[in-house]
Amino acid sequence: MKKQYKKTVKISSWMIMALLLFSLQFAFSKLYAQEKKRDLTVDDYSLWQTLRLVKLADDGKWVSYNMHYESGLDTLFVKQTKSLKKYAFPLGYEGNFIETDWFSCMSAKGLHLVNLKTGKQETIFHARKYVYSPLDKRLIILINEKGKESTMLIRGVDGSSEKRFDGINAFITDPSKQKILFTSKVADTHIIGLLEVSGEMKKKVLLAGPSNFTNLIWHDKGGAFAFIQNSVKKSDSDNSLFYYDLSTKKLYGSNIPDLKNRFLGDSLFISNSQLKISDDLQKVFFVVQQKAKSKTTMKSEVEVWNGNAKWIYPMEEKYKTTKKLALWLPFEDRHQFISNDTLPKYMLTGDQKYAILSDPKKYEPQVSYDGLRDFYLMDLSKGTKELFLKKHSSLESNTIPSPSGKYITYFKEKHWWIYDIEKKSHTNITKNLGANFYNNDKQHPELPENEFPYENFGWTIDEEEILVYDHYDIWAIRPDGTTARRLTKGKETQTQFRLAGFGSHIQISKRNYDGKIYDI
């Protein structure tokens, strides 16, 4: 007996956004059809514009969208979906709906606030960053006016219960937006501290020293944070790594002499690059970088090219490997390299228990810019690695780990595949669906390694299904390929269904070192 699966896929708001975008496009096309057509001139090019849907308010009554112009003078709009009343913010960005009553966005002037019920507007000049804390219903704003001391302002959206903290240079909030990790400077002393938005809002100093603190990062669930303290002398490049456990309220610092003498040596240093804390709170991932070699005073115009090199000289110089991924176990104060010169490209699985490594020069020279590679899976607990994809596309959209760490999704031979890490099994999940998942709209005779898929855009809750596009429709497919549901009926009417604004304008993906990973 065939099982029937009934699930609710959380894409209702996306569908609403898609309908709104379709309505706007229809209205524009109708108006255009009413105008008398004429030949285009060069002067007309600057009048072209692109509409990009940004966000929809929770109650569906307001929508924000961006009009992109060839001149670069883009404008952010927020519009009432019924009355069509709208507000415009030239060069606006980071637009957000604060519950249902307010809209906020940034521009070069500062932070703009609009009460969507009363129409009242306010601009907080010289604001450079803001975060809204929904539990406390307060804005956290960093104000940096040239020639003046920077200030962090915590206040209600309407301006009530305002509290100022002078001398705050940078801050980052935990996922709940209730705890603030900040840096400041008093005289010649740099400080990193912690405060809570609720309660008395007293600052707690965690560490002070002669050099500044950078690369502040919170654990995804707020259980810890990490940061780098820069070297006092830039030439020394002796950056320090720190980790703070909120459950024990203990600060851990990487042992600098041990780190330098046994691990980094004289040629490497901790780079001011992305830090990441593992889900299990046991590991901190960081990047080490090769120290620059001292330059000779003699200038030479001679370039030495090697005819047997896999890359030509300019490309070799541009992509010369100078960085490696490493991890730190703060409770043991132990370090471990992940990538190396042989496998220099890296990303992590969703649970950070494995690393996906590859060598971009393996099969060079190749005709394609994004050539084939072999991909290896490294078990970080054992340090062992094994090949799991051979001669596979190097396009980052073609190999994406799942958020839980159970699977790796990849596109090969014009189909979507799932690699089950625990079972070490490969499953073609789209081969029997009778749909085209390969994007070849330009009808170019592409090489096998350059197959561009219609993207997948995430998973349902608990990773029961993955959501992917074909030419017209959206599919929900179980990772073992046993069932597949077509969620839309676009093929019948040749209507293409997509998540409105999907891509660089609505971010449901985040960087994963040399790759990316989707949020659920």
Side-chain angles (χ1 to χ4, degrees), residues 216-314:
L216 283 59
I217 184 74
W218 279 91
H219 179 256
D220 287 344
K221 294 183 179 179
F225 55 79
F227 56 90
I228 289 173
Q229 184 176 21
N230 289 335
S231 172
V232 176
K233 295 180 180 180
K234 292 183 179 179
S235 59
D236 289 345
S237 301
D238 290 334
N239 294 343
S240 308
L241 193 59
F242 290 90
Y243 174 86
Y244 187 84
D245 184 351
L246 268 76
S247 63
T248 61
K249 297 182 180 180
K250 185 174 180 180
L251 180 67
Y252 296 84
S254 186
N255 186 300
I256 298 302
D258 181 68
L259 178 65
K260 185 174 181 179
N261 298 331
R262 297 187 181 182
F263 188 66
L264 297 179
D266 295 326
S267 61
L268 298 172
F269 68 98
I270 298 174
S271 170
N272 273 305
S273 299
Q274 178 188 359
L275 299 178
K276 184 172 181 60
I277 302 171
S278 63
D279 289 352
D280 60 9
L281 297 167
Q282 301 298 307
K283 299 182 284 290
V284 178
F285 297 92
F286 64 102
V287 174
V288 298
Q289 188 170 349
Q290 192 85 25
K291 291 182 180 180
K293 296 181 179 179
S294 58
K295 297 181 179 179
T296 59
T297 56
M298 295 181 61
K299 185 177 179 180
S300 174
E301 300 296 333
V302 177
E303 295 179 355
V304 180
W305 289 46
N306 184 345
N308 295 320
K310 293 192 173 184
W311 282 346
I312 60 174
Y313 179 84

Side-chain angles (χ1 to χ4, degrees), residues 170-236:
F171 77 86
I172 182 172
T173 59
D174 74 328
S176 71
K177 308 295 190 295
Q178 287 190 288
K179 293 182 177 64
I180 303 172
L181 181 64
F182 67 88
T183 64
S184 64
K185 184 180 180 183
V186 178
D188 293 328
T189 302
H190 294 266
I191 294 169
I192 186 164
L194 188 67
L195 69 81
E196 295 195 22
V197 179
S198 59
E200 299 179 2
M201 288 192 281
K202 289 185 177 180
K203 295 189 293 184
K204 177 182 178 181
V205 175
L206 302 174
L207 191 62
S211 58
N212 63 325
F213 301 95
T214 60
N215 297 75
L216 283 59
I217 184 74
W218 279 91
H219 179 256
D220 287 344
K221 294 183 179 179
F225 55 79
F227 56 90
I228 289 173
Q229 184 176 21
N230 289 335
S231 172
V232 176
K233 295 180 180 180
K234 292 183 179 179
S235 59
D236 289 345

Side-chain angles (χ1 to χ4, degrees), residues 279-457:
D279 289 352
D280 60 9
L281 297 167
Q282 301 298 307
K283 299 182 284 290
V284 178
F285 297 92
F286 64 102
V287 174
V288 298
Q289 188 170 349
Q290 192 85 25
K291 291 182 180 180
K293 296 181 179 179
S294 58
K295 297 181 179 179
T296 59
T297 56
M298 295 181 61
K299 185 177 179 180
S300 174
E301 300 296 333
V302 177
E303 295 179 355
V304 180
W305 289 46
N306 184 345
N308 295 320
K310 293 192 173 184
W311 282 346
I312 60 174
Y313 179 84
M315 190 169 182
E316 185 73 53
E317 288 298 301
K318 184 177 180 180
Y319 295 103
K320 186 179 292 182
T321 303
T322 60
K323 295 183 179 181
K324 298 178 182 179
L325 184 64
L327 66 83
W328 172 43
L329 301 169
F331 303 119
E332 305 173 29
D333 198 18
R334 183 165 58 85
H335 308 87
Q336 175 184 328
F337 278 120
I338 296 175
S339 66
N340 52 44
D341 294 336
T342 304
L343 296 170
K345 292 297 182 180
Y346 47 83
M347 55 180 158
L348 299 172
T349 56
D351 56 4
Q352 304 89 44
K353 293 182 179 179
Y354 293 85
I356 301 170
L357 307 174
S358 62
D359 176 13
K361 297 169 69 173
K362 171 70 175 180
Y363 297 105
E364 295 293 335
Q366 299 182 71
V367 176
S368 171
Y369 182 83
D370 298 294
L372 299 176
R373 300 183 196 172
D374 293 343
F375 286 81
Y376 292 80
L377 201 59
M378 180 180 183
D379 186 332
L380 299 182
S381 64
K382 301 176 182 177
T384 58
K385 56 181 175 287
E386 59 183 26
L387 177 70
F388 81 100
L389 281 176
K390 189 172 180 62
K391 289 190 175 182
H392 180 58
S393 167
S394 62
L395 290 170
E396 67 173 24
S397 60
N398 286 16
T399 309
I400 305 173
S402 73
S404 74
K406 296 178 183 176
Y407 311 108
I408 299 172
T409 308
Y410 64 95
F411 191 81
K412 190 173 186 178
E413 299 170 352
K414 301 183 181 180
H415 286 284
W416 282 108
W417 296 68
I418 297 289
Y419 179 73
D420 187 310
I421 295 176
E422 183 179 352
K423 296 179 180 178
K424 299 183 179 181
S425 62
H426 297 262
T427 304
N428 185 333
I429 62 171
T430 58
K431 65 178 180 179
N432 297 320
L433 300 183
N436 178 25
F437 295 90
Y438 168 51
N439 183 359
N440 194 17
D441 293 338
K442 296 181 180 179
Q443 298 182 351
H444 290 168
E446 304 288 355
L447 295 172
E449 64 267 30
N450 276 339
E451 294 173 350
F452 294 95
Y454 295 109
E455 292 190 72
N456 78 72
F457 59 96

Side-chain angles (χ1 to χ4, degrees), residues 44-62:
D44 294 322
Y45 295 164
S46 62
L47 303 177
W48 285 30
Q49 52 193 279
T50 304
L51 185 150
R52 294 169 176 167
L53 201 60
V54 180
K55 287 187 179 179
L56 179 72
D58 289 341
D59 60 4
K61 294 181 179 180
W62 291 85

Side-chain angles (χ1 to χ4, degrees), residues 17-70:
M17 293 172 76
L19 290 172
L20 283 170
L21 183 59
F22 177 77
S23 300
L24 287 168
Q25 290 174 331
F26 178 76
F28 289 150
S29 63
K30 190 174 181 181
L31 288 171
Y32 177 77
Q34 293 173 355
E35 294 180 359
K36 185 178 179 180
K37 294 183 178 181
R38 63 178 178 83
D39 293 336
L40 288 175
T41 66
V42 174
D43 294 335
D44 294 322
Y45 295 164
S46 62
L47 303 177
W48 285 30
Q49 52 193 279
T50 304
L51 185 150
R52 294 169 176 167
L53 201 60
V54 180
K55 287 187 179 179
L56 179 72
D58 289 341
D59 60 4
K61 294 181 179 180
W62 291 85
V63 62
S64 64
Y65 59 95
N66 181 274
M67 295 300 296
H68 172 72
Y69 303 94
E70 291 296 313

Side-chain angles (χ1 to χ4, degrees), residues 8-14 460-461 467:
T8 301
V9 180
K10 292 187 176 181
I11 59 172
S12 58
S13 62
W14 303 347
T460 60
I461 295 175
L467 304 172

